[in-house]
Amino acid sequence: MIQRSTLFLLLFCIPCVFSAVKPSGVFTDDAVFQQGEPDRIWGTAEIGETVSVLFAGQVKTTVADDSGKWLLTLDPMPASFEPRTMTILSDSNSLRLQYSGILVGEVWLAGGQ
């Protein structure tokens, strides 16, 4: 039978070790960012966590708010056929996420019946 202290550790402490910065699911490899417009990058993290995004020579930094959400805005960029890598860094636990093959160009959403 599991002791209460072991159960406490499993339920409450272990998830804290694995908590990390999580960008929104819309950010993936081979994405396209809109040219000529500010591009917003967002996600979740621990409250007060510092998050940095590196892309196309830009470095932007923000802090997760009281609900654990973060948002930052990249400066407008010209169109580019050069695939680039976006890196997302977390200062507190040295997390480093990378998405490759990102282009800057026209983004169109189409829908129909």
Side-chain angles (χ1 to χ4, degrees):
M1 182 174 223
I2 298 177
Q3 293 180 346
R4 286 186 185 195
S5 60
T6 304
L7 184 60
F8 175 80
L9 286 173
L10 289 173
L11 293 176
F12 296 103
C13 295
I14 292 177
C16 298
V17 174
F18 294 105
S19 62
V21 171
K22 295 177 185 169
S24 172
V26 301
F27 301 107
T28 64
D29 290 334
D30 304 318
V32 179
F33 289 166
Q34 178 63 46
Q35 68 175 341
E37 297 289 332
D39 288 297
R40 289 166 184 81
I41 312 296
W42 69 92
T44 59
E46 290 294 318
I47 296 170
E49 179 96 27
T50 301
V51 179
S52 298
V53 173
L54 293 69
F55 183 74
Q58 298 183 50
V59 178
K60 302 291 181 171
T61 301
T62 190
V63 176
D65 65 16
D66 292 339
S67 62
K69 296 178 183 176
W70 57 270
L71 166 75
L72 54 80
T73 304
L74 297 174
D75 298 330
M77 297 169 278
S80 172
F81 289 111
E82 174 190 348
R84 296 179 174 145
T85 299
M86 177 174 68
T87 304
I88 300 175
L89 302 171
S90 162
D91 288 342
S92 69
N93 62 6
S94 302
L95 175 74
R96 182 183 185 99
L97 299 172
Q98 290 192 322
Y99 299 100
S100 61
I102 298 175
L103 301 175
V104 178
E106 285 296 321
V107 177
W108 291 78
L109 297 176
Q113 296 181 1

